[in-house]
Structures are given as C-alpha cells and as structure tokens.
Amino acid sequence: MERTTLDLWVGMFVVGGLAALVILAFKVGNLSTYNVSQSYQLQANFSNIGGLKAQASIKSAGVLVGRVTGISLDTKQYEARVVMSIDSRYQFPKDTIGKILTSGLLGEQYIGLDPGGDTVMLKGGDEIKQTQSAVVLEDMIGKFLYNKAEGGK
Amino acid sequence: MAIVSSLRSIGSRVINAVWRIGYASRFFMMTLLYSGLSFRRFRLTVREIFFSGVMSLIIILVAGMFVGMVLGLQGYETLKRYGSESALGSLVALSLVRELGPVLAALLFASRAGSAMTAEIGLMKATEQISAMEMMAVNPIARVVAPRFWAGVISMPLLAAMFSAMGVFGGYVVGVVLIGVDEGSFWSQMQGAVDFRHDVLNGVIKSFVFGVAVTVISLFEGYDAPPTAEGVSGATTRTVVQSSLAILMLDFMLTAFMFGE
C-alpha cells in the first residue's frame, strides 16, 4: 500500500464535506445553542391553546427557556394538556403563570412564563396550575360585536 | 388486427418493465451482498470516490454558490414587501438545507457522475471486459459494481452538504455584502429557524437516499445495457431521465414523511 495523489484528493474531498456539515450544524443550524442533556418536564392545562404547536418556544422575560414537546386533549376536563421541556438551568417558582402569547401581530404562538413569588420551585413532572389561554381572534370579534349590539339597544 | 397487436405490445412492455424491476432488485441485493471486497480493498472504493465525488466537486460548488445567490436576490425582493428582510437568512438556509441542497446536488450528481458510470460499465460490457472477468473467476459485481455503489453513497451526502454550505455563503454574499441586510440578524434568524436534527440531519438522510437511488439506477442501466454503441447511449440517457425522476419523486415522499405534520 502506497500513498498516491488520488488519496490526497479523496481525503481533501471527505474533509471538505465534513467541514461543510460542521458549518451547517454550527453556523447555519442551532447546534451551538443546543442544550442536549439537561431539561425537565412541566405540564400545564389550557382551556384553549389557539394555534400553539409542538416545538413552539417557551420564553420567560423574552429569553428562550424551553420547548413544547407534546400537546394532547385531556378528556377528563376537556382541556388542552401541554407538556413542556424546560432547560434545567432555569428554575421557576411553584406559582408561575403560563400564558399563551403571540409574537408580533401575525407571528407564531409561544408560551410565556411569568414567575411568581413562591419559594418552592417547580420540579420535573410538576404542573403549572395557573394558565391563561390563547387569545382567539374570532371569539374576541364575536364578543365585541355582541357588546356593541347590547350597547346599541 | 391492429387492436390485437397494440394490446400485445402494451402487454409485452408491461411484462418487460416488471421483469426489469425484478432484475434490478436482484442486482441491488447482489451488490449489497458482494460489498465485502469494496471495504476489504478500500483502495477500489477510494478510486471511485475520486472519479464520482471529487470530479463533481467543481460543478457542485459553483452551482451551489449561484443557487444561493439567486435565492438571496429573489428572497430579498419578496421579503422586502413585507418588511421582513431580516428573515432572508432563514429563508435561504431552510430552502437549501431541506430541499435544494440534497435535490439539486443529486440531480447534478446523476448527470455528472451517474451517466459516466453507466457509460463506463456499458462499454465494459460491450467490449467484453465483464465476461473476461467472469472467465477469470473475478466477480464483476464485487470488483466493478459494488465499489462504485459505495463511492456514490459516500460522496452524495458530502456533496449535498458542500452544496448547501456554498449556497448559504452565496446568499450571504448577495444578501449581506451586496444588498446590505443586517449581518447579525441574517445569521441569528438563520440559527433560530434551522434546527440541527429536524432540518440538517433530515437533509443528510435525503441525500443519502438519493445517493443510493442514483447509483443503483446508473449501475443497473450500465450493467443491463445492450452491448452496442446505440445500447450504451440509450442506457446513458435512461440513467439521467430515470434518476432525475426518481430523485424528485423520492424527495416528495421523504418531505411528506419528514416535514408533514
């Protein structure tokens, strides 16, 4: 087995391809901000989640702290059950309020966490008791029109 | 009589097509089965990586650059209307990493390297080199086909990754350097939108699947080509047509699987 220039070219090709993958992972993608390991799960029930989707972001004071991992319908109370995966660097008090908010006027929906003043922190598997549902535009317009009609009488 | 003969010709075409599909499947299985040699004597595969991968490098890089530049220009023109030019980065990166990178790289690979493989093997068959190998108890599938197959399968994801990276660079050149979109928002919007597992890895899986499809089609067409000048030229054409169609159809199916909700 001797080394040939062909090997050099193929080596350069493979290295270039892998380098491109690394660039895609770190410069283009979010692997550099990826926190693979530590996260804990929280749950919350919302009476209406609007257009919230799995993988939607969870923010507290505007900082990304986690992602929505699962959405299902809780058939006991007929409410939406949202499972959230929160970065374990961030702890939240027991009386934290979860709100479904919209980024911008037409942007995607996310969950905002407003921490309360409790000294006991939420642990993995806990539930956020106080929640505020998404604002559904149709409902709001309906209410507005209804109020208008009431007022006009 | 005309009806009978046309029915007969339709029937024979269908039977012939099914026959070829069966033969191609057996050919694919044989290639996988006799792949041992292409790893034990890896030099064989390296040689083929050089001819199919390294030689396609220039066209892939140049094409990727220009596709990225076009995306940058067109994306900017459209996004400007909605006042969201800063989303240019995520537009360019997502369309490249998810779709255009794997698909266009595979199309270029099929026409650059796939057709060459078909012509080479078809000519080997026409000049009876394949039969000569069999006479010497050398298995042509293990010696000629399998190394080319693995070279294609290894090269394709690397080429697609380079295509996408070059495209992002082209989009950066047009968007940030020439037009003047804010550099910070270009990259941060991009990083916010592109998920490594969901977008980048799925793109790599796509290009891997395309690599398998293109090389199997090209090698089979070469191996099955009638041993005449006309036969080889027909097989080369069929390689390009069929692999392009296969790439686009597979792409639709993979996209439906990966990104459909």
Side-chain angles (χ1 to χ4, degrees):
Chain A
M1 286 280 276
E2 283 166 32
R3 292 207 298 184
T4 58
T5 38
L6 203 124
D7 291 339
L8 176 69
W9 279 107
V10 173
M12 272 159 58
F13 171 66
V14 172
V15 169
L18 293 180
L21 265 182
V22 170
I23 289 171
L24 288 182
F26 288 98
K27 183 84 186 172
V28 176
N30 59 351
L31 203 64
S32 51
T33 56
Y34 222 76
N35 200 321
V36 204
S37 52
Q38 269 80 48
S39 67
Y40 61 101
Q41 306 273 320
L42 292 180
Q43 291 164 350
N45 276 11
F46 291 92
S47 56
N48 193 336
I49 56 166
L52 191 76
K53 295 199 173 61
Q55 291 297 318
S57 45
I58 297 166
K59 291 177 180 174
S60 183
V63 179
L64 183 72
V65 294
R67 297 224 171 254
V68 172
T69 48
I71 295 172
S72 57
L73 187 67
D74 181 357
T75 45
K76 274 190 199 133
Q77 300 151 52
Y78 286 99
E79 285 186 330
R81 187 158 196 79
V82 175
V83 182
M84 297 173 266
S85 168
I86 310 276
D87 194 326
S88 46
R89 281 178 298 174
Y90 306 114
Q91 304 288 323
F92 290 94
K94 204 113 197 164
D95 55 349
T96 295
I97 304 171
K99 295 176 179 172
I100 296 182
L101 303 168
T102 310
S103 54
L105 200 57
L106 301 166
E108 60 181 15
Q109 287 182 305
Y110 65 96
I111 295 184
L113 295 180
D114 279 357
D118 206 320
T119 47
V120 186
M121 293 293 167
L122 286 164
K123 294 188 300 294
D126 282 358
E127 192 181 329
I128 295 177
K129 291 278 194 286
Q130 302 177 60
T131 58
Q132 183 187 312
S133 291
V135 175
V136 179
L137 213 56
E138 289 92 323
D139 285 356
M140 246 169 65
I141 294 171
K143 266 182 205 155
F144 174 72
L145 289 178
Y146 185 72
N147 286 344
K148 269 269 172 190
E150 289 275 280
K153 235 184 250 176
Chain B
M1 273 334 261
I3 300 172
V4 172
S5 69
S6 65
L7 273 180
R8 198 177 278 159
S9 83
I10 290 171
S12 86
R13 270 165 191 245
V14 170
I15 290 172
N16 199 31
V18 175
W19 202 321
R20 267 171 66 87
I21 288 172
Y23 186 35
S25 316
R26 192 158 64 90
F27 176 81
F28 180 45
M29 287 317 289
M30 296 286 267
T31 311
L32 290 183
L33 214 60
Y34 292 119
S35 297
L37 186 72
S38 33
F39 291 102
R40 256 180 286 127
R41 284 175 64 191
F42 199 63
R43 175 60 56 92
L44 288 174
T45 311
V46 166
R47 208 183 99 88
E48 297 309 328
I49 293 179
F50 178 80
F51 285 118
S52 57
V54 178
M55 300 297 264
S56 315
L57 206 54
I58 305 242
I59 185 172
I60 290 279
L61 292 181
V62 173
M65 178 89 186
F66 279 106
V67 167
M69 285 163 79
V70 167
L71 274 177
L73 265 181
Q74 291 282 16
Y76 178 78
E77 290 297 324
T78 310
L79 289 173
K80 196 173 64 176
R81 287 189 210 167
Y82 305 101
S84 44
E85 299 97 314
S86 56
L88 186 66
S90 48
L91 177 118
V92 170
L94 275 184
S95 35
L96 275 167
V97 167
R98 280 187 179 181
E99 298 289 340
L100 291 175
V103 170
L104 289 182
L107 288 176
L108 291 172
F109 184 78
S111 32
R112 169 68 185 74
S115 57
M117 277 191 228
T118 306
E120 196 182 5
I121 293 181
L123 269 178
M124 277 177 144
K125 198 181 165 198
T127 51
E128 294 184 333
Q129 293 177 47
I130 301 264
S131 320
M133 276 184 192
E134 275 167 350
M135 293 284 285
M136 293 186 288
V138 173
N139 185 339
I141 298 231
R143 179 67 178 74
V144 175
V145 174
R148 284 173 173 73
F149 171 74
W150 287 107
V153 171
I154 292 169
S155 310
M156 199 54 249
L158 298 174
L159 287 172
M162 284 189 253
F163 187 98
S164 301
M166 244 357 233
V168 169
F169 177 68
Y172 167 81
V173 168
V174 167
V176 175
V177 179
L178 295 183
I179 296 180
V181 174
D182 180 55
E183 180 165 3
S185 65
F186 182 86
W187 291 113
S188 66
Q189 288 250 3
M190 188 188 290
Q191 286 174 357
V194 180
D195 183 63
F196 177 70
R197 231 177 295 170
H198 192 242
D199 299 317
V200 178
L201 273 192
N202 276 344
V204 173
I205 292 171
K206 267 188 181 179
S207 56
F208 176 78
V209 173
F210 296 159
V212 172
V214 169
T215 40
V216 167
I217 289 172
S218 342
L219 293 171
F220 176 71
E221 285 295 347
Y223 203 75
D224 190 44
T228 56
E230 210 176 23
V232 174
S233 85
T236 315
T237 311
R238 274 202 304 279
T239 293
V240 176
V241 173
Q242 285 177 6
S243 10
S244 310
L245 286 179
I247 289 163
L248 294 171
M249 285 195 276
L250 281 172
D251 181 52
F252 172 72
M253 284 191 254
L254 289 172
T255 303
F257 269 123
M258 288 167 174
F259 303 110
E261 272 181 293

